[in-house]
Amino acid sequence: MVGAANAAAPTGVYSFPLLKPREIFACLREMRVPVAEDEIRACDVGAIRKVLEAFIESTMGVTREDMAQIAFPGLPTLGYPELHSESVPELTFYRTAQRLLAACGVDDFGLRDVLHPTPKRVRRQLSALINFAKFREERMAVFSEITNQTDELLTKKKALQEENAALERELQQMLEEQKLEEPARLELQKEVDELEGQINVLNKKQAVMRHQTAELKEKRKEVEDAVTSARFNKIEAEAEIKRLQGQIVTSPDRVKGELKTIAETLEKAKDQLHELEEKQRGVREFIDVYEKAEKEFARIFTVLKEAEQEMQSCKEAKNQVKDTKQRIADLQQRIAETITRRQRLEKILELKKREFDRYTEESRVHDQAANEILQKARDELRKLEGAHHDVRQRITQNSEASREIELKMKEDELRYQKELHDIQQMYTRLHEASKYYNEQVLDAIRSTS
């Protein structure tokens, strides 16, 4: 494979290797140019033209049909544009080939290379064209890769921008929802604070009532023990009375004394029993109060349970708010990451744009050189048109002279015809006169004889 062209020097001159004929023919076979090697070696004008047209089409994208079209801008201003139907395509081909070869580093390409090519110059020109084609192929691969990367980066940038916009919309929607839910949250927070205060008060009351309940239970237990003990004492006293009744003696004083003692003991037992019954009634009343207190405590516990449920709901709401804040933080982090990725992609895109601008600048330099060559061709065309104008003036002058000569010839012919007619008339008169003279002579001869 032939090496790529070197970078352009400051003077705009390109260097390229001079290829061997077999390398040139191999490259032409790769390009499938329909010419024979013998035709190239013989510098056949038609073959060289086909080769140039093939390189123009492959490197510049200009086909033979495009160059054959008459698209010269100054053609309508010419007096006889049909006379240039063949010269304009030839001039277009010459200018295009000259522009291409100038871009390849051959600045001395002229009409003689098209009309009378030589082996040395053909070899140099084909070497430059092949080198430029290889160089262009390598650069086009890099350019295509850069273009594909740029397209991918632009696609990624667009996707990231859309994702960023979607995240921003979602964040804005969540912030609006949070803003709308803020009054309800504050109201719930206020209710939670009030319920917490009530729960604290009820907890304190519950602690006091539990202490009182424990004391009342102890007193109830003591009273129940005392009642049970009194009942046992009563039973024992009744048994003792029965026993004593069985041991009654006949002594009245003793019996009276014992009866009195028993009566006193019985009265004391009755008093104790009455006292115990009073205590039992008090305990029962206290038990009723305790049961009512327990019911009240049950109701309070139900209220506390409901308050705890409300607190749980508030905690869940707080957790939801916390989760929402976490989601917002995550979204903000994702947005920051997206912005960072976007900035990185923009930097990469800027680098690619700089490379593209550099390639564009190189192309502009080449176009400028080609435009200069084109301007030279236009100047040469103007010179040719000036020469053509002079020729046309000469032709016009010659045409006028020819018309004058034709008029003169017509006048001479008319004069000749007139003279010829006069001569014919004179000949006729002379013929008649000679005839008359001959007849007179013959008559004279006859009369003499």
Side-chain angles (χ1 to χ4, degrees), residues 168-207:
E168 288 179 354
R169 288 194 298 270
E170 186 177 356
L171 177 61
Q172 189 65 27
Q173 183 178 0
M174 293 180 69
L175 291 174
E176 291 177 357
E177 291 177 356
Q178 183 181 5
K179 186 176 180 181
L180 293 174
E181 293 175 355
E182 186 67 18
R185 188 187 68 81
L186 294 175
E187 186 176 356
L188 287 174
Q189 185 66 36
K190 185 177 179 181
E191 292 179 0
V192 168
D193 294 337
E194 292 177 357
L195 290 173
E196 285 180 351
Q198 293 177 4
I199 289 169
N200 292 328
V201 173
L202 292 173
N203 285 331
K204 291 179 181 179
K205 289 182 178 180
Q206 184 181 12

Side-chain angles (χ1 to χ4, degrees), residues 233-248 258-259 262-263 265-267 269-270:
N233 290 332
K234 180 181 178 181
I235 293 170
E236 289 178 356
E238 289 177 351
E240 184 66 23
I241 289 170
K242 289 180 179 180
R243 186 180 64 79
L244 291 174
Q245 285 178 355
Q247 295 177 0
I248 293 174
E258 290 179 356
L259 289 173
I262 291 170
T265 303
L266 183 60
E267 287 296 330
K270 287 181 179 180

Side-chain angles (χ1 to χ4, degrees), residues 156-174:
K156 290 181 180 179
K157 179 183 177 182
K158 185 177 180 181
L160 290 174
Q161 287 177 347
E162 292 177 355
E163 184 180 359
N164 188 19
L167 291 174
E168 288 179 354
R169 288 194 298 270
E170 186 177 356
L171 177 61
Q172 189 65 27
Q173 183 178 0
M174 293 180 69

Side-chain angles (χ1 to χ4, degrees), residues 79-136:
Y80 299 95
E82 63 275 3
L83 298 176
H84 303 277
S85 60
E86 296 181 359
S87 61
V88 171
E90 292 294 327
L91 181 61
T92 303
F93 166 73
Y94 167 70
R95 287 163 55 189
T96 307
Q98 189 180 37
R99 180 182 176 185
L100 175 60
L101 285 164
C104 296
V106 180
D107 297 327
D108 56 351
F109 182 79
L111 284 174
R112 66 181 183 279
D113 296 313
V114 178
L115 301 176
H116 304 288
T118 60
K120 183 177 180 181
R121 292 186 62 80
V122 168
R123 180 184 177 187
R124 180 170 176 268
Q125 292 164 6
L126 292 181
S127 298
L129 288 170
I130 292 171
N131 185 73
F132 180 76
K134 298 295 183 181
F135 172 75
R136 179 181 178 275

Side-chain angles (χ1 to χ4, degrees), residues 222-264:
E222 291 176 358
V223 170
E224 288 178 350
D225 292 340
V227 170
T228 304
S229 178
R231 286 176 179 175
F232 282 125
N233 290 332
K234 180 181 178 181
I235 293 170
E236 289 178 356
E238 289 177 351
E240 184 66 23
I241 289 170
K242 289 180 179 180
R243 186 180 64 79
L244 291 174
Q245 285 178 355
Q247 295 177 0
I248 293 174
V249 293
T250 58
S251 177
D253 294 331
R254 185 180 177 183
V255 171
K256 288 180 180 180
E258 290 179 356
L259 289 173
K260 186 177 180 180
T261 302
I262 291 170
E264 290 176 356

Side-chain angles (χ1 to χ4, degrees), residues 18 39 43 78 88 106 131 133 173 215 241-242 266 340 346 359 367 372 386 394-395 410 429:
L18 192 63
E39 293 177 343
C43 296
L78 299 177
V88 171
V106 180
N131 185 73
Q173 183 178 0
E215 291 179 353
I241 289 170
K242 289 180 179 180
L266 183 60
T340 304
E346 287 178 351
Y359 286 121
D367 290 339
E372 291 177 357
R394 291 177 184 175
I395 291 172
K410 288 181 180 179
R429 288 195 300 269

